[in-house]
Amino acid sequence: MSITAAREKFRSFLLKRRLRATTQRLAIFDAAFPQSDHFTAEELLEHARKIDDSVSRATVYRTLPILTASSQLREVDIGSGEKFYHANREGDSTQIAQVVCGDCAKIFEISAPFMSWYGSTVSSKLGLTPVNQRLQVSARCNSFHQTGTCARRE
Amino acid sequence: MSITAAREKFRSFLLKRRLRATTQRLAIFDAAFPQSDHFTAEELLEHARKIDDSVSRATVYRTLPILTASSQLREVDIGSGEKFYHANREGDSTQIAQVVCGDCAKIFEISAPFMSWYGSTVSSKLGLTPVNQRLQVSARCNSFHQTGTCARRE
DNA sequence: ATATGTGCAAATCCTTTGCACGTGC
DNA sequence: GCACGTGCAAAGGATTTGCACATAT
């Protein structure tokens, strides 16, 4: 999906919810959408400020949940203090697992098609309706532990 | 496993690591082990103080990683600011998923035997070795949304 | 025009840490 | 005895919030 089309989708989402399409919100969108990797709120702030230097940290934090709700972004919480975000260009967020390397500190996104099936099955037995599911694998780097280096390490 | 046996197992673990079996650590163990539900660090502090009122918050936070490493406890992070802990009387921590109800705020622990298989498969493709995996399903309560109440709600 | 949104800085919340004192081995 | 552990209170770091001003509709 092109950024123009995606931006329009975001505008519609805002309208539908009677939220305003402010220049800051759009700057944050424009900063987030092209990112190919995971990023933090702080990194997003930096990028957004290059587009519109009036953007404040508070607005980034207030906008992130909106971007997540409109499924432009996926929130990735690996339990490390800060949350990560990832552009969601495909649209489906319930079938993706994360593999987090404790050595590289890198996050891989992997398709896990059985996840939503599992969520529905288990939830219905409890009288619940699934909202979403997260599957995360923590792992360590073989090459790092053998050679002391890892090609992916920063 | 009885609490006496489990306490001895914990003592051995401390010894093996050359950590000391202080009265505070054992009080915290005794407070954690019998808990049948999930609890937070703060709740554990309260319980531990009933056993030994000298226990401090700092020591609880310093002891929790030890209890987790000795697999007496499992850490459950549902991405809500604070972490939860759960007594691990069975011993296997890699095959359990959590279903978290957003209405009840209740956490259900469910067996998910395929998880470790998935972790290994995916990790090896990336040249990684899995350390552990978390599968969490967020859900909402059917009865709560239909009747406005939920038996499990506090 | 006016309800919403914004920036700023202070507040929050859980968790970690420095330090002087206490205690298991 | 001495290294390790503890309590206390202060620090830390990500996120949230109150308020006066700005702006989209």
Side-chain angles (χ1 to χ4, degrees), chain A residues 19-20 22 24-25 54-56 59 62:
Chain A
L19 300 171
R20 289 173 186 179
T22 62
Q24 290 89 342
R25 280 174 180 162
S54 81
V55 172
S56 73
T59 298
R62 286 190 273 235

Side-chain angles (χ1 to χ4, degrees), chain A residues 4-95:
Chain A
T4 323
R7 196 193 289 110
E8 278 322 302
K9 214 182 127 210
F10 182 48
R11 284 190 115 98
S12 314
F13 181 87
L14 291 172
L15 221 77
K16 198 173 31 178
R17 297 262 192 123
R18 321 216 168 174
L19 300 171
R20 289 173 186 179
T22 62
T23 56
Q24 290 89 342
R25 280 174 180 162
L26 292 171
I28 293 168
F29 170 85
D30 285 351
F33 187 83
Q35 299 299 320
S36 55
D37 217 334
H38 294 80
F39 52 88
T40 62
E42 196 64 27
E43 287 164 354
L44 180 54
L45 172 64
E46 257 179 69
H47 289 124
R49 278 188 164 156
K50 284 180 192 151
I51 297 170
D52 175 350
D53 68 357
S54 81
V55 172
S56 73
R57 185 170 287 105
T59 298
V60 168
Y61 277 105
R62 286 190 273 235
T63 303
L64 279 168
I66 303 176
L67 285 164
T68 301
S70 77
S71 58
Q72 302 277 1
L73 292 185
R74 275 178 290 127
E75 193 184 84
V76 179
D77 181 351
I78 62 170
S80 71
E82 63 193 347
K83 284 177 182 164
F84 291 86
Y85 296 86
H86 192 272
N88 188 218
R89 301 211 191 72
E90 311 310 320
D92 190 354
S93 57
T94 64
Q95 313 216 351

